[in-house]
Amino acid sequence: MLKREEIAQRIAQELRDGWYVNLGIGIPTLVANYIPEGISVEFQSENGILGMGPFPYEGTEDADLINAGKQTVTIRDGGSIFDSSLSFAMIRGQHVQLTVLGAMEVSEKGDIANWKIPGRMVKGMGGAMDLVASADNIIVAMSHTNKRGESKLLKECTLPLTGVACVKKIVTNLAVLDVTDEGFKLLERAPGVSVETIIQSTEGKLIVDGEIPEMQI
Amino acid sequence: MLKREEIAQRIAQELRDGWYVNLGIGIPTLVANYIPEGISVEFQSENGILGMGPFPYEGTEDADLINAGKQTVTIRDGGSIFDSSLSFAMIRGQHVQLTVLGAMEVSEKGDIANWKIPGRMVKGMGGAMDLVASADNIIVAMSHTNKRGESKLLKECTLPLTGVACVKKIVTNLAVLDVTDEGFKLLERAPGVSVETIIQSTEGKLIVDGEIPEMQI
Amino acid sequence: MNKIVASSDKAIEGILDGMTIMVGGFGLCGIPENCIAALVRKGVKGLTCISNNAGVDDFGLGLLLQQKQIKKMISSYVGENEEFERQMLSGELEVDLIPQGSLAERCRAGGAGIPAFFTPAGYGTEIAEGKEVRAYNGKPHILEKALTADFALVKAWKGDPYGNLVFKGTARNFNPVMAMAGKITVAEVEELVEPGELDPNFIHLPGVFVQRIYQGSHYEKRIEQRTVRSKN
Amino acid sequence: MNKIVASSDKAIEGILDGMTIMVGGFGLCGIPENCIAALVRKGVKGLTCISNNAGVDDFGLGLLLQQKQIKKMISSYVGENEEFERQMLSGELEVDLIPQGSLAERCRAGGAGIPAFFTPAGYGTEIAEGKEVRAYNGKPHILEKALTADFALVKAWKGDPYGNLVFKGTARNFNPVMAMAGKITVAEVEELVEPGELDPNFIHLPGVFVQRIYQGSHYEKRIEQRTVRSKN
């Protein structure tokens, strides 16, 4: 089973040189720590910044320079600042090549639910609905099952949706899967995790085709 | 009968302190020369400039600073530069208080035709259709009749329209008129011009109510 | 042209009970701190607030929530605020949640004279309920309407008497688009400069969108998530 | 990230016969002079050109018209060009005239993932023929669709290897919105600077919208209407 950092590490392998990338809160944020050697990517944050750098050194933090998680950040050479409408123009207009975000549920059709649990305080969707409805390439980072051990990879989402038929790839603590027209296609398994475990942990249709390699991290 | 400069001078009397104003090509451009004492207005040009100043001094003209008529201009303190989409956001969003433009025909309902003559080379509407469809306050500056002596204030426009029911006021070489629900309402006559002459020169419905004063220029 | 008003209290003159106001900022970044304080002093009630967030318990719009001055919030994310949660769950406070990009674009549209537009955001979700759906390029989109407000309250870094504004860093966020969408737009700035001091080529928001401007004071600029790394 | 290409010829690589290109500029102000020269050299034909104007006989897009490389112009104003007039009247050249504000907004929409929007411009005129009409706030509006292009060719004052652009004066005009709407956007700049030289807070167009950038040369910057006053 992968740790949070390892999920991020595996997702980082999906990055390609020259991509603009939007990372959601939580595990996705960690992806920035594992950019492969020799490639250059730019991070976009939907509150209006491109070329986001690491957290500032203690004492240099600037209240006027935050990311969408409201954390103090820095900006790298070649970065830029813009207003919220231009920020989502980039996102909606598909100028950002990859979005990585967390989820509570993903369906075998690629539907995603990650913003609302009926009966609980609803905080809002923030930019998630714009991101998932727009991006061509969406990777979900999440644990394969919830705290009660129930699968988060479902036939149909049970929670209110954030977007439909949009998730392309899922990296969990157990596996890497593509979302295909036929359902979840198992690509890789976490070190030491058996295909059997993944099958048991996946409620939605799972396609297991031939030998499934272990992830290389 | 007013000269072109006098039409502009009369229109300038309509300016109010604090207004943003878009002036079309021709007579409207001259309005900038007659701003009444004690009021301050800002000129917008739809190619992306606010706070347009007078033409530059010889030798200081800048190819990168022009107005919508492609003339070299200057920019005043407090002015700003922006792209074409923001420029028309200002216009369409009714942040510009007054548009002054020329016309080939105006109907008694306030329709305007000023961009196309069938059979002749069509140069295009430029920003005129956006301006007339958006502005709350549109003043037309034109001669009362065309070169053949035919009225340009008509029951119905005969030329392809630029906009419908949008003109609020007309200042011609003969008269000042409001466009009302009942037709053209004569407000003032040019010095030395009789009401009779105006009636004869106006094809559309003309309301002449009481004594018509002479313009003060 | 001189749009300077003497104080934050003068700046918000005319905001009445029941009005709709837009308030710039993202989280606590780039919020009009002085305008909010003036609204608290004024005690105006029953406000509909369009703002990406709702502040925290003791800062930002949270200050208006404490005084129960807000009837309805239109936002994209409203976490981190217990009083908000209490009022929402008790039904005192109406909440309309909007995808962040749609919120930004609806404000811009309101300012730009675009009454409605199609966006893919929210298709297939509860956000799309009751909204027109149309496919473009093989992809379903929903029709969203422009937002405007009686007043827009925004915060900038520098401004001049013409209302021209320059923002600093990510404190820009929703401020420009909300400034466009206010029937009356009030800008508070950290520094009010003379006409001509701002380079016309580098103005973030032309003054045509601003009706009142003043220099604010005592900016706290609270940080919600102070994240740093150590120098070692 | 390095988007620099070696020359204008390299920059327009991939533009093929029959493609749709956007070309920035207003009149002759802010036009990509080097890209246009490269297109003439390349001799690519049957182009659909989206550009506010069509240049003059011997400059700007007029150079492409002379070589009969343009099949169709999508513009708001096309005066001051005899060869254009000749080709249009003879039926060699298709012309689609669009209100200038709708042209700008349709480009922005194309870049911003907004497939369609309502605007009042053109209602009741021949521009509205065949378009959906809907009233908002008691005023009729027409539905306009987004524009995109295979390539957008734009001109900026300064740029960096990331594609970030800064424009000068009214040479900005359509360049930013067209840069947003190009599948591949080529920017030529008067001055290519190092990463970090452009202040992130004052970038007119973020590099995310630009795929190729190069420093142009021999800018003529012809003035169409030289209007001056004498110093006396």
Side-chain angles (χ1 to χ4, degrees), chain D residues 14-72:
Chain D
I15 299 190
L16 305 175
D17 287 358
M19 275 190 172
T20 296
I21 61 171
M22 287 183 180
V23 183
F26 185 99
L28 302 179
C29 181
I31 59 173
E33 298 184 16
N34 288 265
C35 280
I36 292 171
L39 282 172
V40 170
R41 280 195 297 276
K42 190 180 172 89
V44 59
K45 291 214 182 323
L47 296 171
T48 293
C49 260
I50 304 174
S51 186
N52 189 56
N53 312 92
V56 294
D57 275 301
D58 60 345
F59 202 58
L61 291 182
L63 299 171
L64 293 179
L65 286 164
Q66 272 183 2
Q67 305 298 318
K68 303 194 180 166
Q69 295 178 261
I70 301 177
K71 183 185 69 180
K72 181 177 181 178

Side-chain angles (χ1 to χ4, degrees), chain B residues 10-32:
Chain B
R10 177 61 191 83
I11 290 173
Q13 294 174 14
E14 302 292 315
L15 299 174
R16 294 294 171 269
D17 191 41
W19 275 8
Y20 292 89
V21 179
N22 182 295
L23 300 177
I25 293 168
I27 298 174
T29 301
L30 303 173
V31 172

Side-chain angles (χ1 to χ4, degrees), chain A residues 55 61 64 72 116 123 133, chain C residues 78 126 221 226-227 229:
Chain A
F55 296 137
E61 62 271 24
D64 291 329
T72 44
K116 186 175 183 177
K123 294 185 172 183
Chain C
V78 292
E126 61 186 58
K221 293 199 188 181
R226 189 178 304 272
T227 48
R229 50 188 169 140

Side-chain angles (χ1 to χ4, degrees), chain C residues 5 13 20 38 74 82 85 88 97 101 111 123 141 144 147 159 162 168 175 203 216 224:
Chain C
V5 290
E13 232 171 55
T20 296
I74 300 177
E82 281 182 30
E85 192 165 341
M88 181 175 164
L97 292 168
Y123 168 75
H141 291 74
E144 290 282 10
L147 286 170
Y162 287 76
K168 180 160 164 274
N175 283 298
I203 281 167
E224 266 184 272

Side-chain angles (χ1 to χ4, degrees), chain A residues 46-49 54-58 61-72 81-85 88 92 94 115-116 121-127 129-130 133-134 160-164, chain C residues 26-27 29 53 76-80 84-85 97-102 104-105 119-121 123-127 139 168-174 176-177 221 223-231:
Chain A
E46 62 267 29
N47 59 317
I49 178 169
F55 296 137
Y57 287 117
E58 227 175 311
E61 62 271 24
D62 178 356
D64 291 329
L65 199 59
I66 64 169
N67 65 17
K70 293 155 194 168
Q71 299 171 307
T72 44
I81 300 282
F82 33 86
D83 69 47
S84 299
S85 76
F88 283 93
R92 223 188 291 103
Q94 305 195 321
W115 78 284
K116 186 175 183 177
M121 165 69 186
V122 181
K123 294 185 172 183
M125 69 294 282
M129 282 193 183
D130 307 273
S134 308
L161 295 181
T162 309
V164 298
Chain C
F26 186 98
C29 180
N53 313 92
S76 88
Y77 188 84
V78 292
E80 282 76 72
F84 183 99
E85 192 165 341
L97 292 168
I98 294 180
Q100 195 175 133
S102 297
E105 191 66 16
T119 173
Y123 168 75
T125 76
E126 61 186 58
I127 295 307
K139 192 170 156 176
K168 180 160 164 274
T170 56
R172 193 180 322 181
N173 56 62
F174 280 86
V177 289
K221 293 199 188 181
I223 293 175
E224 266 184 272
Q225 304 284 338
R226 189 178 304 272
T227 48
V228 295
R229 50 188 169 140
S230 75
K231 276 192 177 128

Side-chain angles (χ1 to χ4, degrees), chain A residues 21-205:
Chain A
V21 179
N22 183 294
L23 301 177
I25 294 169
I27 299 174
T29 300
L30 303 173
V31 172
N33 300 330
Y34 302 103
I35 305 168
E37 282 290 313
I39 78 161
S40 148
V41 298
E42 291 293 300
F43 294 110
Q44 200 255 15
S45 195
E46 62 267 29
N47 59 317
I49 178 169
L50 256 179
M52 212 176 6
F55 296 137
Y57 287 117
E58 227 175 311
T60 69
E61 62 271 24
D62 178 356
D64 291 329
L65 199 59
I66 64 169
N67 65 17
K70 293 155 194 168
Q71 299 171 307
T72 44
V73 295
T74 54
I75 185 163
R76 293 162 58 180
D77 281 353
S80 56
I81 300 282
F82 33 86
D83 69 47
S84 299
S85 76
L86 192 64
S87 183
F88 283 93
M90 284 173 201
I91 290 166
R92 223 188 291 103
Q94 305 195 321
H95 305 278
V96 174
Q97 278 77 26
L98 173 65
T99 290
V100 183
L101 75 179
M104 302 191 287
E105 298 177 346
V106 177
S107 85
E108 62 187 39
K109 288 184 289 290
D111 299 348
I112 178 173
N114 72 349
W115 78 284
K116 186 175 183 177
I117 301 176
R120 289 224 213 135
M121 165 69 186
V122 181
K123 294 185 172 183
M125 69 294 282
M129 282 193 183
D130 307 273
L131 282 159
V132 301
S134 308
D136 250 349
N137 193 3
I138 295 171
I139 300 180
V140 162
M142 65 177 188
S143 57
H144 210 99
T145 54
N146 64 22
K147 285 171 192 159
R148 296 181 301 280
E150 298 159 349
S151 179
K152 293 167 74 173
L153 288 82
L154 306 175
K155 199 165 267 312
E156 295 278 355
C157 291
T158 64
L159 296 170
L161 295 181
T162 309
V164 298
C166 52
V167 176
K168 295 288 181 298
K169 194 180 279 285
I170 305 165
V171 179
T172 75
N173 52 339
L174 302 184
V176 180
L177 312 98
D178 268 355
V179 179
T180 71
D181 288 347
E182 284 79 40
F184 301 114
K185 183 167 167 55
L186 183 60
L187 300 179
E188 300 171 17
R189 56 199 171 78
V193 171
S194 68
V195 168
E196 193 51 37
T197 302
I198 296 167
I199 291 173
Q200 279 169 3
S201 305
T202 305
E203 190 228 76
K205 182 166 181 201

